[in-house]
Amino acid sequence: MIRPRGCLDYLQLSWWLMRRQGRSLGLATLLCVLSLPLNETIAKTLLPESLAQVLGLLLGLFLSFRYGQAFNRWWEARVLWGVLVNQSRNWRDLLTRVLPNELPLSLRRRLLKQVVLLMWCLNAELSGSDREQPVLATQAQALALKLGFRNPSVQDLLRQMAEEQFKLHQADWLDSVESREFGHVQQEITNALGGLERIRHQPLPASSTLFIRLLTWVYGYLVFLKLDAIGPTPSALVGWLVFLVFLMAERIGTFLENPFVDARFALPMDRLCALISLDLLGASDPLAQPSPSEGPWLR
């Protein structure tokens, strides 16, 4: 049984999809209206039974491939963010277990803040445009200024983390084994960052996306013609709705391909960064509060 809140979320998501695809759905509706005068003979000519079966099979195969590849990218990104959450906790625990009590508390806090800022910088770079400077959240920008950064980047913070570990080792606060432990955690963080950047900057081939979309348009339109040729007006209405559903289903696969941009299908990166901030800096830190702008489907 679906909860009322869940029904509301689905309605909001459907309305958002219709707004995002307003031009495509409007064009499809216009095409259907202009095709209403077509008689049964023309519809049968355009859509013989064998062609309908072949196109339906092809569309099912290609859409399955699209959804499979898109979901794999989305799920891999989610797993990599899970690695970042776990390794950030490992970093916190290492600081507590390995560093001596004589080490200033301010330095411990700084090492934790570097990891938190790293996650927020990654969030900004993944969700931003390739042509524009990533924009940090207001609280993250304030943290960057406290740490001495004006326009921090992921690579800047990784370099600084490595430098801080080297200084601790040179000052004999860390022995060789402990230094390797810190290096291993940072290596795991770097590997996860690289995987997320690969997903962000290497989308699926545009040619396959174009072909699947074209096939969806052709098949959806021909199905409308076939149902329209049956005779009664409700058949044409059903065909029009089926046409629109095919278009929306195809576009959902496209949205899933990039799990960082479209808020309704993207990963809740603000909440993941807030979780990391909570684990490392405590509940009182402003960055530990999740963003109120994310939709209820991301809770």
Side-chain angles (χ1 to χ4, degrees), residues 161-180:
M161 289 169 61
E163 291 172 359
E164 295 282 1
Q165 294 170 55
F166 178 75
K167 291 178 182 178
L168 289 172
H169 181 63
Q170 289 294 100
D172 292 330
W173 293 110
L174 296 176
D175 60 27
S176 298
V177 175
E178 294 166 345
S179 182
R180 282 197 295 269

Side-chain angles (χ1 to χ4, degrees), residues 241-293:
L241 291 175
V242 170
F243 191 6
L244 299 190
V245 168
F246 276 133
L247 295 180
M248 294 176 67
E250 186 273 332
R251 296 311 295 167
I252 289 175
T254 303
F255 295 142
L256 283 175
E257 287 178 11
N258 190 340
F260 309 120
V261 178
D262 292 296
R264 274 68 178 181
F265 297 94
L267 293 170
M269 294 188 296
D270 285 355
R271 291 183 177 273
L272 291 169
C273 289
L275 175 62
I276 293 173
S277 303
L278 174 66
D279 291 338
L280 272 61
L281 302 181
S284 60
D285 193 89
L287 288 171
Q289 306 302 320
S291 172
S293 62

Side-chain angles (χ1 to χ4, degrees), residues 7 18 150 162 199:
C7 294
M18 293 178 66
R150 180 170 294 274
I199 295 172

Side-chain angles (χ1 to χ4, degrees), residues 22 42 68 95 131 141 177 233-234 255 278 280 283 292 297:
I42 297 178
L95 291 176
R131 300 179 181 180
Q141 186 63 47
V177 175
T233 302
F255 295 142
L278 174 66
L280 272 61
W297 39 83

Side-chain angles (χ1 to χ4, degrees), residues 141-264:
Q141 186 63 47
L143 176 60
L145 293 176
K146 289 180 181 178
L147 294 177
F149 293 99
R150 180 170 294 274
N151 293 309
S153 67
V154 168
Q155 296 305 316
D156 292 337
L157 287 161
L158 287 175
R159 281 192 293 267
Q160 188 179 69
M161 289 169 61
E163 291 172 359
E164 295 282 1
Q165 294 170 55
F166 178 75
K167 291 178 182 178
L168 289 172
H169 181 63
Q170 289 294 100
D172 292 330
W173 293 110
L174 296 176
D175 60 27
S176 298
V177 175
E178 294 166 345
S179 182
R180 282 197 295 269
E181 288 188 64
F182 275 100
H184 175 72
V185 173
Q186 182 163 347
Q187 182 180 10
E188 292 294 322
I189 291 175
T190 303
N191 292 338
L193 294 176
L196 290 169
E197 290 172 348
R198 171 181 52 79
I199 295 172
R200 172 68 176 86
H201 298 294
Q202 295 181 9
L204 296 178
S207 56
S208 65
T209 300
L210 179 62
F211 176 75
I212 294 173
R213 191 170 194 190
L214 179 61
L215 182 61
T216 303
W217 272 84
V218 171
Y219 183 72
Y221 177 62
L222 294 181
V223 167
F224 164 77
L225 290 179
K226 188 69 174 180
L227 292 176
D228 179 37
I230 294 178
T233 302
S235 298
L237 181 61
V238 171
W240 170 70
L241 291 175
V242 170
F243 191 6
L244 299 190
V245 168
F246 276 133
L247 295 180
M248 294 176 67
E250 186 273 332
R251 296 311 295 167
I252 289 175
T254 303
F255 295 142
L256 283 175
E257 287 178 11
N258 190 340
F260 309 120
V261 178
D262 292 296
R264 274 68 178 181

